[in-house]
């Protein structure tokens, strides 16, 4: 894991945006070069974000772990698996750590619904008979319906479960044995990392840039809680900005990261010539900023790249507005879902049927799609099928096959999550 220092950060959205998005310049000057694979346009870095301090304390409070023990070194022995890391071989491990570090860095305590192993451990240690019965019912086949409702309804965290069943205080090691490992989160590079440098303290620094949209979900106690990864980024951005405002010139704040995915579809299929249509919504547009930067550096081909950007409202969430080079007006078209009549990006795909058909039928033409799979990704795919039906006189099934073949040929690239 590499500690990338935040070189700079800013909020890309304005007050009133439904989702807040932050930009980060991360200093990777010292990133070890041993792997041989460099950062790539369209690649994504991996980030190991910790759980929030207050959430960890809440769990330790509910377990009744005395404060003096929380940071005291302990010897951890595991019999198998990779935990407490997500790296290396499946094997027995032994290391010195602390209870707080284990809950902060190694186990997921909030981002997935309670599962049966957790309920069983809570039942085993519940001293109250009624609590134990409820927990056992949830684990049984008769209680399966209620269990499913519990998983699919509100987003329960481990601390909430411990609050709901206060008589159950399992030993920390039992709880850790049933929690899932805390997994890295991935963030697409929003710049061209090949030639991105800036100066600090008289030295040239190499930067990778990302945009992070904050995920929020309902929380029984706080009203709302942020996602593990995006919430961590938001807190770091706010700390950085507050330190700057307090007069600190270069606050020292780090992001634990690794090179992540540099052979994902966006990174693999990006080439710096040939006409490209880049279709994205929300923060899905971020990697395309790097595509356009790279393109503008390598050739004067502003007329060979087009961007369709789906946003909610240009007054508050048009991220990276004004950062697409001097031809932005010609290159980029925004589609607003909450201003005026409200449109989605796939409607513009239909309006641009001629352009879509020209690009996809050009030997080195490529169409990229990035954003959320549900809704946007599916909607754009449907619009592309309709374009092929209209322009190519194809039946629906033939049109689907057409895009499937273009996908296999690396000309139609959809990376959606
Ligand atoms: C290749 C790739 C590139 C990506 N690039 C970007 C990027 O450039 N920018 C960007 O912002 N994101 C990007 N993402 C998404 C990013 O990796 C994270 O998924 C995103 O930030 C959310 O992570 P989180 O830890 O903040 O949220 P999490 O804590 O993981 O929560 C995610 C969602 O899970 C649900 N949830 C939370 N708690 C519970 C619960 N207890 N029970 C049930 N459901 C729950 C909620 O709906 C919540 O929104 C990318 C993903 C991939 C795979
Ligand atoms: N490399 C990658 O794979 C990669 C990189 C970056 C981001 N991502 C993913 O991209 C997604 C971006 O999400 P976000 O949270 O920033 O934005 P978002 O919530 O998906 O919304 C962005 C825009 O899409 C609109 N939208 C909603 N439903 C739609 C539909 N059916 N068809 C078309 N547009 C629709 C929204 O409109 P309304 O709200 O008005 O309906 C809004 O204007 C995330 O899931 C992220 O993980 C992936």
């Amino acid at each position: 894991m590499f500690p990338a220092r935040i070189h700079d950060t800013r909020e890309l959205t304005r007050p009133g945006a439904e989702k807040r998005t932050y930009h980060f310049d991360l200093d990777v000057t010292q990133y070890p070069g041993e792997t041989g694979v460099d950062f790539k346009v369209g690649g994504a870095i991996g980030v190991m974000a910790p759980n929030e301090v207050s959430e960890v304390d809440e769990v330790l409070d509910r377990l009744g772990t005395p404060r003096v023990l929380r940071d005291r070194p302990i010897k951890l022995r595991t019999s198998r698996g990779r935990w407490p890391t997500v790296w290396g071989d499946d094997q027995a491990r032994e290391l010195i750590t602390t209870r707080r570090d284990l809950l902060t860095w190694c186990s997921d305590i909030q981002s997935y619904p309670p599962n049966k192993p957790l309920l069983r451990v809570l039942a085993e240690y519940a001293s109250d008979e009624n609590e134990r019965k409820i927990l056992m019912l949830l684990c049984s086949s008769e209680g399966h319906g209620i269990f499913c409702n519990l998983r699919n309804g509100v987003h329960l965290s481990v601390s909430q479960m411990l609050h709901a069943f206060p008589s159950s205080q399992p030993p920390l090691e039992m709880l850790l044995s049933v929690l899932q490992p805390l997994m890295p989160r991935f963030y697409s590079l929003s710049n061209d990392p090949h030639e991105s440098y800036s100066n600090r303290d008289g030295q040239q620094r190499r930067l990778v840039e990302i945009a992070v949209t904050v995920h929020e979900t309902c929380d029984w106690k706080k009203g709302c809680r942020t996602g593990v990864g995006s919430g961590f980024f938001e807190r770091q951005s706010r700390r950085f900005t507050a330190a700057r405002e307090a007069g600190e010139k270069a606050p020292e704040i780090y992001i634990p990261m690794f090179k992540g995915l540099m052979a994902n579809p966006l990174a693999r299929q990006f080439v710096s010539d040939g006409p490209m249509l880049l279709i994205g919504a929300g923060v899905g547009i971020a990697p395309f900023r790097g595509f356009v930067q790279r393109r503008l550096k390598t050739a004067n081909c502003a007329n060979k790249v087009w961007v369709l950007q789906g946003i909610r409202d240009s007054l508050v969430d048009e991220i990276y507005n004004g950062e697409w080079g001097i031809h932005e007006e010609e290159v980029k078209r925004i589609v607003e879902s909450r201003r005026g009549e409200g449109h989605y990006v796939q409607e513009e795909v239909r309006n641009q049927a001629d352009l879509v058909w020209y690009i996809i039928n050009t030997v080195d033409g490529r169409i990229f799609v990035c954003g959320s799979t549900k809704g946007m990704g599916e909607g754009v795919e449907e619009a592309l099928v309709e374009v092929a039906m209209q322009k190519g006189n194809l039946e629906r099934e033939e049109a689907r096959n057409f895009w499937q073949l273009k996908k296999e040929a690396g000309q139609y690239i959809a990376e959606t999550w």
Side-chain angles (χ1 to χ4, degrees):
M1 196 62 48
F2 174 74
R5 185 168 169 183
I6 299 180
H7 183 80
D8 205 355
T9 170
R10 61 195 153 100
E11 189 171 348
L12 294 172
T13 42
R14 298 210 179 92
E18 179 163 313
K19 292 184 181 178
R20 302 179 297 282
T21 302
Y22 294 85
H23 173 85
F24 293 83
D25 296 291
L26 302 177
D27 186 337
V28 292
T29 316
Q30 309 288 340
Y31 195 96
E34 88 289 346
T35 57
V37 181
D38 197 8
F39 293 99
K40 286 209 170 78
V41 177
I45 58 167
V47 170
M48 282 305 302
N51 290 310
E52 199 175 354
V53 175
S54 61
E55 197 58 29
V56 170
D57 271 323
E58 189 74 46
V59 172
L60 290 168
D61 286 348
R62 298 316 311 167
L63 294 179
T65 311
R67 289 193 175 262
V68 290
L69 295 186
R70 295 181 186 183
D71 297 294
R72 191 172 283 175
I74 50 167
K75 186 181 270 186
L76 173 87
R77 285 199 199 91
T78 60
S79 54
R80 62 184 168 82
R82 289 163 147 188
W83 194 85
T85 74
V86 292
W87 319 106
D89 297 330
D90 177 336
Q91 59 178 20
R93 291 160 186 237
E94 194 174 299
L95 80 157
I96 306 291
T97 177
T98 66
R99 292 171 175 85
R100 184 186 299 285
D101 274 354
L102 288 171
L103 271 180
T104 302
W105 295 98
C106 307
S107 290
D108 193 330
I109 55 173
Q110 71 164 64
S111 81
Y112 67 98
N115 53 23
K116 290 198 177 169
L118 173 65
L119 295 173
R120 276 191 208 103
V121 163
L122 292 180
E124 193 182 330
Y125 288 90
S127 54
D128 178 281
E129 192 51 26
N130 287 334
E131 286 182 22
R132 206 181 63 79
K133 277 189 191 152
I134 297 172
L135 287 159
M136 291 308 289
L137 174 71
L138 286 168
C139 296
S140 68
S141 48
E142 308 138 74
H144 192 66
I146 318 172
F147 171 71
C148 289
N149 290 343
L150 191 77
R151 282 178 65 85
N152 298 330
V154 286
H155 292 163
L156 299 169
S157 62
V158 171
S159 70
Q160 186 174 1
M161 291 301 289
L162 290 167
H163 267 278
F165 300 96
S167 82
S168 178
Q169 293 193 327
L172 180 63
E173 61 271 27
M174 289 307 293
L175 182 67
L176 292 173
S177 73
V178 291
L179 294 181
Q180 290 182 12
L182 187 55
M183 298 305 284
R185 269 62 176 168
F186 292 93
Y187 296 93
S188 297
L189 300 187
S190 67
N191 71 329
D192 170 4
H194 294 111
E195 292 158 41
S196 179
Y197 292 94
S198 182
N199 278 317
R200 194 182 59 225
D201 307 330
Q203 283 180 326
Q204 203 182 45
R205 319 298 308 176
R206 184 178 190 199
L207 303 178
V208 293
E209 301 178 24
I210 55 170
V212 179
T213 287
V214 179
H215 281 238
E216 285 186 309
T217 192
C218 290
D219 185 83
W220 69 291
K221 208 170 183 191
K222 305 177 208 162
C224 183
R225 69 168 184 267
T226 54
V228 176
S230 56
F232 169 66
F233 271 110
E234 179 169 62
R235 292 193 296 280
Q236 302 309 84
S237 180
R238 288 181 172 171
R239 271 180 64 201
F240 188 95
T241 307
R244 271 265 172 87
E245 283 168 4
E248 227 177 294
K249 221 173 114 217
E252 244 188 270
I253 298 178
Y254 294 87
I255 301 292
M257 59 148 287
F258 58 100
K259 222 167 245 170
L261 311 169
M262 293 299 147
N264 52 322
L266 294 186
R268 220 177 36 241
Q269 301 299 351
F270 172 78
V271 284
S272 49
D273 49 15
M276 291 194 297
L277 177 62
L278 311 173
I279 307 165
V283 77
I285 204 71
F288 299 150
R289 176 171 170 263
F291 283 36
V292 173
Q293 284 180 355
R294 183 79 194 150
R295 183 52 81 86
L296 295 180
K297 269 179 204 155
T298 47
N300 176 21
C301 47
N303 62 342
K304 284 171 79 186
V305 54
W306 293 268
V307 180
L308 300 182
Q309 178 177 10
I311 57 173
R312 293 194 173 85
D313 180 339
S314 56
L315 291 182
V316 291
D317 67 2
E318 186 181 348
I319 67 170
Y320 291 132
N321 180 21
E323 301 185 33
W324 300 83
I326 49 166
H327 297 287
E328 178 159 336
E329 300 277 291
E330 298 143 53
V331 162
K332 193 186 86 170
R333 180 152 303 179
I334 57 161
V335 184
E336 297 170 273
S337 60
R338 306 235 180 139
R339 177 158 284 274
E341 278 178 37
H343 297 285
Y344 281 156
V345 73
Q346 55 268 37
E347 295 173 44
E348 194 54 27
V349 169
R350 290 190 184 92
N351 296 340
Q352 299 291 338
D354 287 336
L355 178 65
V356 170
W357 200 239
Y358 153 70
I359 292 179
I360 204 62
N361 288 302
T362 305
V363 182
D364 51 0
R366 281 174 166 71
I367 295 183
F368 290 88
V369 182
C370 187
S372 134
T373 313
K374 277 236 145 290
M376 183 260 174
E378 293 162 352
V380 169
E381 178 134 335
E382 200 46 41
L384 292 172
V385 166
E386 285 168 27
V387 168
M389 288 167 69
Q390 182 203 339
K391 292 285 160 192
N393 284 325
L394 302 177
E395 294 298 323
R396 189 167 289 277
E397 233 6 75
E398 291 173 321
R400 287 197 192 288
N401 283 342
F402 171 84
W403 287 106
Q404 184 54 35
L405 291 174
K406 290 293 181 188
K407 207 175 241 177
E408 286 160 20
Q411 278 193 276
Y412 166 44
I413 304 100
E415 195 174 283
T416 55
W417 296 95

